[in-house]
């Protein structure tokens, strides 16, 4: 055989054929460092400053609620994967992100069983029954919030005033405060100034109020290339344009637009939930259509819907369209003379 | 203004170990195996028989192009040899006598100025010139326009994948030969313009070339992006002349230098500039090696291994072939041999697609690799046919960026093969000839 003569025989040479030292795998042989886990870690880093502010506003109860929500999400995911004998996926940290986002959408006054119920719906029904990470067609945290809002409307809409810190344990008389969205619903500019809305000194869910920190978090994600600016900017831009053009009840358009943008969970949702990979389109065109849709439905539901906050419903509706939107085939920009043929 | 293209990825160059490693000629070992065909399945016949004496430049056989002996000595056998690009091809095994006697065939052809365009094109065939990194004869590329006027001749002076610096060294160490060869290419094609495309991270090369181009030369240096895969033929045309531009020809500086040598000395292509690098190589080098030298001799010349190897790559780290051993010959399109340790080689444990869309954003052809992979694994042939997967250039950018580490490029390759196979079996013979006209 000619082959044996090509190189001198060397029994221990790791480069000789049959030594088993060399791995053969399809190209490419280098991979980028980003992994699902590193992406989820970045999202958690971007979300974490808001948690500190919520403790400052509402006391350690918000931390306890967030931990309850995260722990429930991890537990439900782990138990389900184990029950159906599939590989465990809690290591990718996506359940932790769902847990944090679900908690951020709750008022600080809710009882502790609320995040547990929400997590069960989000993880078991919305995420795992459809096949786990990457397969769900609705954002689990938003679906969990929508489920809780529909089933427990009073609990989910009892707002407390910032700086009236709530006890971690035991019962308390929550003094109801007015969410700025309620004023907007009636065509009035809320009492809170734009600065108060930006800094978060107004009633709202525990992780949605401080728009400034959420914007910084979003900026961090964009700089880290975890998300692209397209979806949040187009979403917020659409809401801004529509509210500027059509203010309700004769409010001054600019003031009306600012209040609309900074109230409720719009900023949180635009950067952290509308951008959810699994439930948003992957093509640039699809993402633009999706984000415009989110904006239009949000304003429509805020003006004419039955709930004060409708961001979650708007995004869930557009989530359902994401795969369809991806398959819009407008004339392809890449159809060169040789390739198009 | 810098020319660029749609999509692509930024890679850590990792070229430092060989950036200033000047091309060193490697003495051929006592036994070399010269493949006669460029790829498996193409016919090739040997002109020599066991026992025949050969000199440098003696014709050994002919496949798509003629193949010549890179050493002097004796034919030991005519055999088959597995080549790094995959499969086995006919080959001639030569015993090197170390004397480097030239064949009488190798002699200068007279004045370079007297060569006509047709003679230059023919010389690319008779000298057995092959493109760098792709087993394609230069002759085919020169004739790809089939008589249409050439808008632009683009010389690909980019080297956008990690570790490899053999082209950089060819450009810096053999500048005059490269430029003389480019002038011959330009004479053969008479393009409207000739562009030396240099990537934006190699301003030293751009400066060096600009200095050496004489005023009378009808060529210019053009800076293009340093993204990967800028070196792809269509990406270069896109960066220099626009995506839709059709009548451009892309050639490389190594072939230019070889063409000049063939025209001035009569010597056919006998050597390749090969980077031997990677984190498991003790003393990375750029070597000028005779075709047919076993890869193991290259690794030995680079000081052997410094760490346990996990992968042996032939070609770039993104599109190269992973080999099971170093007992393969250097082929006429070789450019790099990389040995990576476990730490540097990609780990391939994949998880579920999270639809992050990175693969779509980086695809130079604007494909949707995640959907191609999905349709393939689901067996959804209708969707696969609509996915334009035939346009995939196999650059591997999608797999590179995938956070779930899915083999997207491999799935695209399989999908392409599947569609091709389906067409061959489903289309009746008479309809086939018709479809060839419309394609």
């Amino acid at each position: 055989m000619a082959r044996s003569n090509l190189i001198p025989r060397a029994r221990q040479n790791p480069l000789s054929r049959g030594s088993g030292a060399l791995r053969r795998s399809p190209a490419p042989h280098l991979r980028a460092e980003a992994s699902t886990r590193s992406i989820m870690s970045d999202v958690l880093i971007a979300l974490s400053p808001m948690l500190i502010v919520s403790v400052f506003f509402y006391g350690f109860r918000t931390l306890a609620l967030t931990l309850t929500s995260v722990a429930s999400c991890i537990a439900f995911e782990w138990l389900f994967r184990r029950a159906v004998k599939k590989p465990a996926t809690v290591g990718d940290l996506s359940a932790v992100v769902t847990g944090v986002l679900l908690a951020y959408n709750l008022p600080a006054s809710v009882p502790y069983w609320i995040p547990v119920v929400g997590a069960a719906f989000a993880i078991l029904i919305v995420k795992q029954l459809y096949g786990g990470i990457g397969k769900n067609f609705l954002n689990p945290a938003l679906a969990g919030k929508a489920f809780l809002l529909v089933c427990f409307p009073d609990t989910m809409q009892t707002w407390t005033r910032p700086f009236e810190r709530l006890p971690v344990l035991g019962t308390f008389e929550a003094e109801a405060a007015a969410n700025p969205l309620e004023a907007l619903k009636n065509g009035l500019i809320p009492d809170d100034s734009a600065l108060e809305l930006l800094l978060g000194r107004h009633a709202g869910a525990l992780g949605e109020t401080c728009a400034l920190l959420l914007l910084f978090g979003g900026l961090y994600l964009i700089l880290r290339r975890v998300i692209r600016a397209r979806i949040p900017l187009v979403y917020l831009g659409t809401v801004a344009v529509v509210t500027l053009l059509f203010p309700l009840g004769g409010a001054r358009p600019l003031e009306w637009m600012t209040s609309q943008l900074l109230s409720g969970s719009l900023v949180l949702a635009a950067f952290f939930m509308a951008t959810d990979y699994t439930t948003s389109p992957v093509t640039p065109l699809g993402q633009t259509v999706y984000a415009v849709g989110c904006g239009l439905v949000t304003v429509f539901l805020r003006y004419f819907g039955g709930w004060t906050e409708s961001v979650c419903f708007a995004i869930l509706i557009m989530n359902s369209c994401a795969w369809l939107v991806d398959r819009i085939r407008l004339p392809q920009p890449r159809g060169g003379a040789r390739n198009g043929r | 203004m810098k020319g660029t293209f749609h999509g692509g990825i930024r890679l850590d160059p990792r070229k430092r170990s060989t950036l200033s490693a000047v091309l060193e000629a490697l003495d051929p070992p006592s036994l070399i195996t010269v493949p006669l065909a460029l790829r498996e399945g193409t016919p090739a016949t040997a002109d020599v028989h066991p026992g025949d004496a050969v000199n440098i430049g003696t014709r050994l056989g002919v496949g798509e192009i003629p193949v010549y002996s890179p050493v002097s000595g004796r034919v030991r056998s005519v055999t088959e040899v597995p080549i790094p690009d995959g499969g086995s091809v006919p080959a001639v095994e030569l015993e090197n006598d170390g004397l480097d006697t030239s064949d009488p065939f190798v002699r200068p052809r007279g004045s370079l100025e007297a060569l006509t365009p047709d003679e230059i094109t023919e010389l690319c065939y008779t000298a057995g010139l092959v493109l760098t990194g792709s087993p394609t004869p230069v002759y085919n590329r020169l004739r790809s326009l089939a008589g249409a006027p050439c808008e632009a001749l683009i010389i690909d002076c980019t080297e956008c994948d990690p570790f490899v610096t053999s082209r950089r060294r060819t450009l810096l160490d053999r500048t005059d030969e490269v430029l003389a060869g480019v002038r011959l290419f330009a004479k053969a094609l008479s393009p409207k313009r000739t562009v030396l495309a240099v990537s934006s991270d190699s301003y030293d090369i751009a400066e060096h070339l600009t200095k050496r181009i004489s005023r009378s030369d009808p060529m210019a240096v053009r800076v293009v992006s340093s993204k990967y895969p800028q070196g792809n033929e269509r990406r270069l045309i896109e960066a220099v002349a626009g995506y839709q531009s059709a009548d451009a020809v892309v050639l490389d500086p190594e072939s230019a230098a070889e063409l000049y040598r063939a025209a001035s000395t009569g010597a056919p292509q006998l050597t390749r500039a090969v980077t031997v690098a990677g984190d498991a190589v003790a003393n990375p080098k750029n070597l000028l090696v005779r075709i047919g030298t076993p890869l193991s001799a290259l690794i030995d010349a680079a000081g052997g291994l410094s760490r346990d190897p996990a992968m042996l790559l032939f070609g770039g780290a993104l599109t190269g072939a992973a080999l099971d051993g170093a007992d393969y010959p250097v082929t006429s399109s070789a450019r790099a041999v990389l040995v990576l340790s476990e730490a540097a080689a990609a780990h391939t444990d994949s998880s579920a697609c999270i639809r992050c869309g990175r693969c779509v954003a980086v695809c130079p052809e604007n494909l949707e690799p995640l959907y191609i992979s999905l349709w393939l694994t689901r067996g959804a042939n209708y969707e696969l046919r609509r996915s334009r997967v035939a346009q995939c250039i196999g650059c591997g950018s999608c797999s590179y960026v995938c956070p779930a580490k899915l083999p997207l490029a491999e799935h695209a390759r399989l999908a392409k093969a599947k569609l091709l196979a389906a067409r061959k079996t489903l289309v009746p013979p008479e309809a086939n000839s018709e479809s060839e006209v419309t394609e």
Side-chain angles (χ1 to χ4, degrees):
Chain A
M1 268 290 286
R3 301 250 9 97
S4 55
N5 294 323
L6 205 55
I7 56 159
R9 283 242 173 104
R11 292 238 175 271
Q12 295 306 314
N13 184 354
L15 292 180
S16 65
R17 201 171 298 166
S19 72
L22 296 175
R23 190 144 46 81
R24 301 188 85 171
S25 55
H29 309 291
L30 297 177
R31 299 295 187 105
E33 272 171 26
S35 64
T36 305
R37 189 190 169 97
S38 76
I39 288 169
M40 295 301 165
S41 309
D42 269 334
V43 176
L44 291 174
I45 291 169
L47 282 168
S48 55
M50 187 62 228
L51 188 59
I52 299 166
V53 171
S54 79
V55 171
F56 179 63
F57 280 158
Y58 302 106
F60 280 97
R61 187 178 176 83
T62 62
L63 180 65
L65 279 170
T66 308
L67 291 178
T68 309
S69 173
V70 169
S72 319
C73 284
I74 294 175
F76 286 128
E77 176 146 319
W78 187 81
L79 286 170
F80 185 92
R81 301 292 292 191
R82 201 180 152 81
V84 298
K85 297 191 172 61
K86 283 190 178 169
T89 51
V90 290
D92 64 27
L93 300 182
S94 63
V96 180
V97 170
T98 298
V100 172
L101 286 174
L102 176 67
Y104 278 20
N105 275 291
L106 304 174
S109 57
V110 295
Y112 286 109
W113 57 264
I114 281 276
V116 179
V117 173
F121 185 78
I123 294 292
L124 295 180
I125 293 173
V126 177
K127 187 178 176 190
Q128 291 299 340
L129 280 189
Y130 284 87
I133 184 166
K135 307 286 197 311
N136 49 296
F137 73 100
L138 296 176
N139 178 304
L142 281 176
K145 185 212 172 148
F147 170 78
L148 293 172
L149 195 56
V150 171
C151 297
F152 313 101
D154 292 337
T155 320
M156 286 293 288
Q157 295 189 98
T158 306
W159 315 105
T160 54
R161 215 175 291 281
F163 298 116
E164 282 178 15
R165 301 203 177 120
L166 306 172
V168 176
L169 293 172
T171 53
F172 53 86
E173 270 310 303
E175 195 189 333
N179 188 316
L181 286 170
E182 286 157 18
L184 289 170
K185 190 95 224 167
N186 301 322
L188 303 166
I189 299 290
D191 299 333
D192 314 89
S193 71
L195 185 70
E196 279 176 319
L197 290 175
L198 190 68
L199 295 179
R201 241 196 92 208
H202 62 92
L206 68 89
E208 71 181 24
T209 50
C210 184
L212 190 66
L213 277 184
L214 294 170
L215 285 170
F216 278 132
L219 191 65
Y220 171 81
L221 290 185
I222 291 168
L223 291 179
R224 294 277 296 162
R225 292 170 185 260
V226 170
I227 61 170
R228 285 171 174 257
R230 189 182 293 118
I231 290 177
L233 289 192
V234 173
Y235 186 1
L236 294 175
T238 307
V239 173
V241 168
V242 178
T243 52
L244 191 68
L245 292 180
F246 307 106
L248 283 190
R252 270 179 298 174
L254 207 61
E255 221 177 324
W256 175 258
M257 180 195 80
T258 323
S259 311
Q260 282 284 0
L261 283 178
L262 298 176
S263 302
S265 56
L266 185 57
V267 175
L268 175 71
F271 283 96
F272 293 94
M273 300 198 284
T275 54
D276 173 23
Y277 294 148
T278 305
T279 54
S280 62
V282 295
T283 61
L285 176 73
Q287 290 176 348
T288 308
V289 171
Y290 163 89
V292 169
C294 284
L296 293 178
V297 179
T298 299
V299 179
F300 177 78
L301 292 181
R302 273 191 179 178
Y303 280 19
F304 308 112
W307 299 91
T308 54
E309 180 54 298
S310 48
V311 165
C312 70
F313 299 117
I315 296 180
L316 288 173
I317 288 167
M318 291 314 294
N319 281 169
S320 319
C321 307
W323 280 57
L324 187 72
V325 171
D326 254 353
R327 299 192 66 186
I328 299 176
R329 292 259 190 258
L330 292 184
Q332 294 291 335
R334 311 257 89 188
R338 286 190 186 176
N339 293 306
R341 292 201 251 210
Chain B
M1 201 195 79
K2 189 170 82 175
T4 188
F5 62 98
H6 175 89
I9 51 179
R10 302 219 169 265
L11 294 169
D12 176 6
R14 306 200 207 179
K15 293 181 196 275
R16 204 169 299 147
S17 64
T18 55
L19 212 51
S20 44
V22 178
L23 284 177
E24 287 173 43
L26 174 69
D27 288 333
S30 53
L31 200 66
I32 67 170
T33 313
V34 181
L36 294 178
L38 296 177
R39 49 182 108 219
E40 189 180 44
T42 55
T45 51
D47 295 346
V48 290
H49 302 283
D52 286 1
V54 293
N55 291 319
I56 290 185
T58 307
R59 203 170 96 155
L60 297 177
V62 59
E64 267 181 277
I65 45 164
V67 175
Y68 302 90
S69 171
V71 295
S72 63
R74 209 175 58 86
V75 175
R76 176 184 270 204
S77 66
V78 176
T79 169
E80 284 246 324
V81 67
I83 54 171
D85 303 285
S88 293
V89 298
V92 175
E93 204 180 9
L94 298 170
E95 284 168 8
N96 174 19
D97 63 11
L99 299 175
D100 280 0
T101 322
S102 278
D103 195 274
F105 165 82
V106 180
R107 59 171 194 276
R109 309 217 152 189
S111 156
L112 288 186
E113 281 72 38
L115 284 171
T116 65
D118 284 346
E119 280 171 345
I120 296 171
T121 311
E122 201 194 310
L123 185 60
C124 290
Y125 174 82
T126 50
L129 302 187
V130 177
L131 292 173
T132 306
S134 145
T136 309
V138 170
Y139 173 75
N140 290 8
R141 196 53 83 72
L142 276 178
R143 284 160 49 93
S144 63
L145 294 182
C150 177
E151 289 293 320
L153 165 62
I154 302 168
I155 305 298
D156 173 16
C157 303
T158 68
E159 201 164 43
C160 47
D161 49 350
F163 298 111
V164 187
T165 55
S166 52
R167 173 162 297 164
R168 173 191 186 79
R169 289 325 310 182
T170 303
L171 285 163
L172 294 176
D173 303 343
R174 300 178 70 188
T175 317
D176 293 331
E177 288 170 275
V178 169
L179 293 179
V182 173
R183 283 177 207 120
L184 290 175
F185 278 145
K187 193 168 178 186
L189 289 165
S190 44
K192 287 211 178 120
R193 57 192 177 126
T194 303
V195 178
L196 303 173
V198 183
S199 65
S200 58
D201 58 358
S202 320
Y203 273 107
D204 55 337
I205 292 181
E207 254 173 50
H208 181 79
L209 291 175
T210 312
K211 265 187 222 154
R212 297 290 196 93
I213 296 173
S214 65
R215 204 147 295 157
S216 59
D217 276 333
M219 59 176 97
V221 171
R222 175 82 199 268
V223 175
V224 296
S225 87
S226 56
K227 283 189 300 184
Y228 173 88
Q230 178 66 81
N232 172 261
E233 187 193 358
R234 293 301 307 173
R235 289 339 99 186
L236 274 172
I237 297 176
E238 181 178 353
V240 171
Y243 184 81
Q244 304 287 340
S245 173
D247 300 325
V249 173
V250 177
L251 289 161
D252 56 63
E254 291 93 329
S255 321
E258 289 301 321
L259 173 62
Y260 170 72
R261 271 168 61 85
S264 59
T265 68
Q269 174 152 23
L270 306 171
T271 57
R272 285 294 334 179
V274 179
T275 299
V276 186
D279 67 332
V281 171
N283 187 11
K285 275 190 171 157
N286 279 307
L287 299 168
L288 204 58
V289 293
R290 311 275 171 102
I291 290 160
T293 308
L295 302 184
S296 52
L298 275 64
I299 296 166
D300 288 343
L305 300 177
S306 58
R307 326 163 64 161
D308 285 339
M311 279 192 135
L312 171 64
L313 305 177
F314 178 81
L318 275 106
T319 52
L323 303 180
D324 53 359
D327 36 1
Y328 286 89
V330 167
T331 62
S332 50
S333 58
R335 56 192 279 263
V337 175
L338 307 175
V339 191
L340 303 183
S341 73
E342 195 58 57
H347 68 96
T348 45
D349 297 339
S350 55
S351 51
C353 172
I354 55 171
R355 289 173 48 83
C356 66
R358 281 168 171 75
C359 53
V360 181
V362 301
C363 179
E365 286 291 342
N366 225 355
L367 303 178
E368 288 145 17
L370 81 159
Y371 284 121
I372 292 171
S373 171
L374 184 72
W375 305 145
L376 178 78
T377 47
R378 279 199 190 162
N381 290 340
Y382 173 73
E383 280 84 356
L384 211 53
R385 275 198 295 279
R386 288 181 31 142
S387 68
R388 297 178 296 128
V389 65
Q391 265 171 258
C392 171
I393 59 168
C395 67
S397 301
C398 46
S399 294
Y400 176 84
V401 294
C402 181
K405 316 294 173 197
L406 290 167
L408 297 171
E410 179 67 2
H411 283 174
R413 194 184 65 76
L414 293 173
K416 242 168 129 170
K418 185 178 177 183
L419 290 189
L420 208 65
R423 263 189 47 178
K424 275 186 186 146
T425 52
L426 287 178
V427 179
E430 58 271 19
N432 212 350
S433 60
E434 192 187 325
S435 74
E436 265 167 28
V437 178
T438 52
E439 288 293 303

